[in-house]
Amino acid sequence: MEEEIKETSESDANEETNSEENEIKEGEQSEEISENNIEEDEVSLLKKRIEELEKESADMKNKYMYAMAEAENIRKRTAKEKIDGIKRANKGLLLSLLNFMDNFERALKAGEKDENIQGTEYYKGIELIHKQFIDFIHDNGVSEIELQSGDEFDPNVHEALTMVEVPNIDKEQVVEVYAKGYKLNDELLRTAKVVVGKPQAAQ
């Protein structure tokens, strides 16, 4: 009888031990599941944060590239405006010098008709200054528009001061060049001032 009671007690003790062990195992499993869930949540949050940072980085890069492009455009525009301003200033100066050139050329033409002036120091001085003017404007990109009497009148590069009827012509042409025309590089600087001959009216 005592042996039966002893076996029963040992059996109950074993069951209690097994029950405790099961509870411990279940607790450990529950903790592992909980830890796994926490780790998954943390990983999910980290991934989400990484995506946000990547998006912010892309936005910042786009803004940086846009700012750099805008700065480059401003630099180019400023440089172009500066160059255009210098060109306008140079153009105005060169146009003024051409007026002096016209007067020197008229003085030279007048001297060609007076034998008393030709060969004098005065006339040689005018020729020298005229040559210096020509060298100066050539060095600054100015070239003369080739033109002579008899050439066809071109309103794009010629300015008609007056028109006269000329016999035996069938189209308008230059009769006399009053002031030469000039180009600044490939751009028209000043039109040539000319007298234009036109065909006679039919009678």
Side-chain angles (χ1 to χ4, degrees), residues 185-196:
N185 299 319
D186 294 327
E187 179 185 355
L188 179 66
L189 179 61
R190 190 185 78 175
T191 57
K193 295 176 175 58
V194 299
V195 176
V196 180

Side-chain angles (χ1 to χ4, degrees), residues 68-140:
M68 289 295 291
E70 187 65 20
E72 180 65 12
N73 289 337
I74 291 172
R75 186 191 68 77
K76 288 180 179 179
R77 186 164 58 247
T78 302
K80 184 178 183 301
E81 288 173 355
K82 183 178 180 180
I83 292 171
D84 290 343
I86 293 171
K87 283 183 177 179
R88 284 193 296 271
N90 287 347
K91 188 175 180 179
L93 174 62
L94 291 169
L95 280 170
S96 298
L97 289 175
L98 291 180
N99 291 329
F100 287 104
M101 177 80 78
D102 295 338
N103 292 330
F104 274 106
E105 289 181 347
R106 292 188 189 103
L108 287 172
K109 283 184 179 181
E112 290 173 357
K113 299 175 182 179
D114 191 335
E115 295 180 356
N116 295 324
I117 294 178
Q118 290 182 21
T120 63
E121 293 301 318
Y122 167 78
Y123 192 75
K124 289 179 181 179
I126 293 176
E127 287 180 321
L128 178 60
I129 295 172
H130 178 253
K131 184 180 182 304
Q132 289 174 337
F133 263 119
I134 291 175
D135 292 341
F136 176 79
I137 64 172
H138 284 176
D139 290 343
N140 284 273

Side-chain angles (χ1 to χ4, degrees), residues 27-91:
E28 290 176 351
Q29 290 176 352
S30 177
E31 287 178 2
E32 287 179 3
I33 292 171
S34 178
E35 288 177 359
N36 289 337
N37 289 338
I38 291 171
E39 288 178 359
E40 289 177 0
D41 290 342
E42 289 177 350
V43 169
S44 177
L45 288 172
L46 286 172
K47 286 182 177 179
K48 185 177 180 181
R49 182 56 182 158
I50 289 171
E51 290 176 358
E52 291 174 352
L53 289 173
E54 287 177 346
K55 185 178 179 182
E56 289 177 6
S57 176
D59 289 342
M60 291 297 293
K61 183 178 179 181
N62 289 336
K63 289 178 180 178
Y64 171 77
M65 296 299 291
Y66 177 81
M68 289 295 291
E70 187 65 20
E72 180 65 12
N73 289 337
I74 291 172
R75 186 191 68 77
K76 288 180 179 179
R77 186 164 58 247
T78 302
K80 184 178 183 301
E81 288 173 355
K82 183 178 180 180
I83 292 171
D84 290 343
I86 293 171
K87 283 183 177 179
R88 284 193 296 271
N90 287 347
K91 188 175 180 179

